[in-house]
Amino acid sequence: MSQEILTLSRKQNGTVPSPRPRRPPSAPFRSQQNSAPRSLPPAAQRAPLPLGPPRPPSPRPLGAVVRELRAPACPAASRAGRSGAAWRCAAACGPGEGLCAPRGRRGRPPAGAAPPPAFGFLFDIDGVLVRGSQVVPAAREAFRRLSDAGGRLRVPVVFLTNAGNCLRAAKARELSQALGLQVSPEQVILSHSPLRLFSQFHPKCMLVAGQGPVEENARNLGFKHVVTIEALRKAYPLLDMVDQSRRPKEGGMVLLCPVRWETSLQLITDVLLSNGNPGAEPEGIPYPHLPVLACNMDLLWMAEAKMPSRFGHGTFLLCLENIYKKVTGRELKYEALIGKPSTVTYRYAEYLIKEQAEKHGWKAPIRRLYAIGDNPMSDVYGANLYNNYLKSAQQNQVKAGVERIPQAANPQTEDNLGVESCESILVCTGVYRHNADVCRKPEECNTETVFHGHRDFCFDPSLVEASYIVQDVNEAVQLAFEKENWS
């Protein structure tokens, strides 16, 4: 019997160090087993994503799947030197100065004042645009800056969140109401959205556990046979499997950060230890165990509470990993890890940004992405990791003789080169607070004492150092506009 455990989830967050120059590209993901997503269109192909040994891709292109789903220098920072420059800037200059993006042009920019954008934005939601049910005041101002007189966005935008306990359409409606403009579901990426590409798991029978419309979410992702964990619990209180005559030959699980962790932890562990048949007497512990796909690794996330310590799905995964190791003496392995900071998630976001630009008729190729978030361990880490991936892809293209020559460039060549950079911008309205994180001694700021990232992502200090630190999302947008010389 072949079975899979597929883990989705909701929003979570982490902690922060101070900015430093980035290190050379690295491959921090060290999962033993990995599943390759469906292949991308030829124009969107790059170097292999750092997800471990790839499997043969599905022939269906990403485009078909998506259609289905239908700064200026800071004197204070210069005086402080490179180490810890950003937080010193925030402390010395105050919010809105230096690296924290000078305040200035406010209000709605005139329509037609700027050329077609060659850049796009990836916005985190919780802690950047909203906190719980409350809209961050700077969010509406930022989107007035991003939209024209008719309320239409002037640049491509994708909302990239590790939330997973709702439908994309529902999240789009929430954002539309919060920001005062129309947001489409195609602009929203939830933690589990890239699983639409993992078609090799879609025919399996999936056991779903979580909050919100878990069954509908799973079916929208393409899973054909879905059973909720609540239905399984009621039908088989003694942990029997479903009726043998009705049980499919292949199966798995889908988890969306369940409410009752103890029930889900027990059932998942039973399935792993019984090789998918917990109703039968075990004949030893199988290893390697059934494949596990997990979405959203955030240990913590930011809600309306002042303490940024709301346990997220990363905490649930931590519990599962430790229970499994305590019982078996072996490590729990993941087939893949999806959601921020996964490179697969950012690659998916890049494709949606390009598709959005094409839909709006913006002719300029998208070359740069600005990822705005409040969590260094998911937003900053993920953006920097993807930036390293982009740089590595460019180096590989040069080695392969695909270096762009402007005089001889053609549209197809331009599109093949794709996005060149993904810069991370950290805001102080969520998990990260520069006042709380300022170190008294410079040398203390260079030491990371607690790593809040997932076990399978090796810690690299440069990956949690934001390119820029600003006070809020409005200043982040203004900073990007100034860097692009765009108004």
Side-chain angles (χ1 to χ4, degrees), residues 17-19 86-87 90 99-101 425-426 428 432 434 466-471:
S18 54
W87 67 258
L99 287 176
C100 295
I425 304 179
L426 185 63
C428 304
Y432 176 76
H434 67 78
S467 302
Y468 304 93
I469 299 179
V470 299
Q471 182 61 30

Side-chain angles (χ1 to χ4, degrees), residues 76-305:
S78 300
R79 291 193 300 270
R82 301 175 74 185
S83 175
W87 67 258
R88 287 191 181 87
C89 171
C93 299
E97 303 296 338
L99 287 176
C100 295
R103 299 182 187 271
R105 299 182 296 275
R106 300 282 185 179
R108 191 191 309 278
F119 62 100
F121 287 98
L122 309 181
F123 288 100
D124 180 35
I125 298 177
D126 294 296
V128 176
L129 305 178
V130 299
R131 285 188 59 176
S133 60
Q134 302 299 314
V135 180
V136 174
R140 290 206 171 205
E141 188 173 0
F143 277 85
R144 282 196 295 269
R145 189 184 301 278
L146 284 165
S147 59
D148 61 19
R152 297 177 296 270
L153 287 171
R154 303 186 297 137
V155 296
V157 166
V158 163
F159 300 92
L160 187 60
T161 176
N162 270 351
N165 59 343
C166 64
L167 300 173
R168 293 174 78 194
K171 182 61 70 175
R173 287 193 297 270
E174 290 177 10
L175 289 169
S176 297
Q177 183 177 5
L179 302 176
L181 78 162
Q182 186 62 40
V183 176
S184 70
E186 290 74 22
Q187 291 176 283
V188 177
I189 297 181
L190 303 176
S191 63
H192 51 70
S193 295
L195 288 174
R196 190 69 179 86
L197 307 177
F198 288 72
S199 58
Q200 64 269 41
F201 295 99
H202 295 168
K204 314 297 184 182
C205 180
M206 308 305 296
L207 177 64
V208 183
Q211 304 177 43
V214 291
E215 183 173 359
E216 188 175 357
N217 259 326
R219 293 192 185 280
N220 287 344
L221 289 168
F223 298 101
K224 307 301 182 184
H225 307 286
V226 178
V227 178
T228 65
I229 199 166
E230 182 64 18
L232 180 65
R233 184 188 66 81
K234 289 182 178 179
Y236 300 92
L238 298 180
L239 201 57
D240 291 334
M241 283 292 284
V242 295
D243 189 338
Q244 296 291 323
S245 63
R246 299 171 56 194
R247 179 156 54 95
K249 294 181 179 180
E250 296 182 328
M253 290 188 180
V254 179
L255 304 178
L256 296 106
C257 200
V259 177
R260 296 184 61 86
W261 285 18
E262 67 279 12
T263 299
S264 296
L265 289 170
Q266 179 69 71
L267 289 174
I268 295 170
T269 303
D270 289 339
V271 170
L272 289 171
L273 297 181
S274 64
N275 202 31
N277 190 15
E281 186 174 349
E283 299 178 359
I285 298 176
Y287 199 85
H289 55 68
L290 301 176
V292 179
L293 290 93
C295 295
N296 187 357
M297 298 147 274
D298 288 349
L299 186 74
L300 307 171
W301 67 291
M302 189 61 159
E304 295 177 72

Side-chain angles (χ1 to χ4, degrees), residues 254-481:
V254 179
L255 304 178
L256 296 106
C257 200
V259 177
R260 296 184 61 86
W261 285 18
E262 67 279 12
T263 299
S264 296
L265 289 170
Q266 179 69 71
L267 289 174
I268 295 170
T269 303
D270 289 339
V271 170
L272 289 171
L273 297 181
S274 64
N275 202 31
N277 190 15
E281 186 174 349
E283 299 178 359
I285 298 176
Y287 199 85
H289 55 68
L290 301 176
V292 179
L293 290 93
C295 295
N296 187 357
M297 298 147 274
D298 288 349
L299 186 74
L300 307 171
W301 67 291
M302 189 61 159
E304 295 177 72
K306 295 187 180 298
M307 287 292 294
S309 56
R310 305 311 93 199
F311 291 150
H313 192 244
T315 308
F316 178 85
L317 296 178
L318 183 63
C319 293
L320 178 61
E321 293 159 7
N322 282 279
I323 290 172
Y324 184 83
K325 186 172 183 178
K326 192 70 173 180
V327 172
T328 67
R330 301 191 180 193
E331 295 284 352
L332 180 72
K333 295 182 179 181
Y334 291 97
E335 185 79 5
L337 291 166
I338 309 299
K340 295 181 293 186
S342 166
T343 307
V344 168
T345 296
Y346 284 84
R347 187 73 185 92
Y348 187 62
E350 178 191 334
Y351 185 84
L352 294 187
I353 285 282
K354 288 181 176 179
E355 188 180 66
Q356 189 179 145
E358 181 181 353
K359 180 180 178 181
H360 284 79
W362 295 321
K363 302 299 183 182
I366 301 299
R367 295 296 182 219
R368 293 165 295 281
L369 297 177
Y370 294 92
I372 303 172
D374 70 310
N375 186 347
M377 270 317 311
S378 60
D379 302 314
V380 174
Y381 191 111
N384 290 345
L385 181 61
Y386 192 57
N387 188 67
N388 285 352
Y389 162 70
L390 293 172
K391 299 304 180 185
S392 296
Q394 293 168 22
Q395 293 173 5
N396 293 337
Q397 287 178 335
V398 171
K399 291 178 181 179
V402 191
E403 185 174 13
R404 173 158 35 102
I405 304 176
Q407 293 83 353
N410 59 64
Q412 185 176 0
T413 302
E414 291 286 317
D415 186 62
N416 283 340
L417 288 166
V419 170
E420 299 171 348
S421 66
C422 181
E423 297 203 56
S424 54
I425 304 179
L426 185 63
V427 300
C428 304
T429 52
V431 170
Y432 176 76
R433 301 295 185 86
H434 67 78
N435 288 333
D437 291 300
V438 169
C439 301
R440 293 182 179 273
K441 299 179 181 180
E443 57 271 18
E444 293 177 358
C445 297
N446 299 328
T447 303
E448 175 71 13
T449 57
V450 179
F451 178 53
H452 283 188
H454 188 269
R455 178 201 68 186
D456 288 355
F457 281 75
C458 298
F459 176 60
D460 180 347
S462 68
L463 291 176
V464 288
E465 296 165 0
S467 302
Y468 304 93
I469 299 179
V470 299
Q471 182 61 30
D472 54 43
V473 63
N474 184 49
E475 294 184 359
V477 169
Q478 184 175 350
L479 170 63
F481 278 11

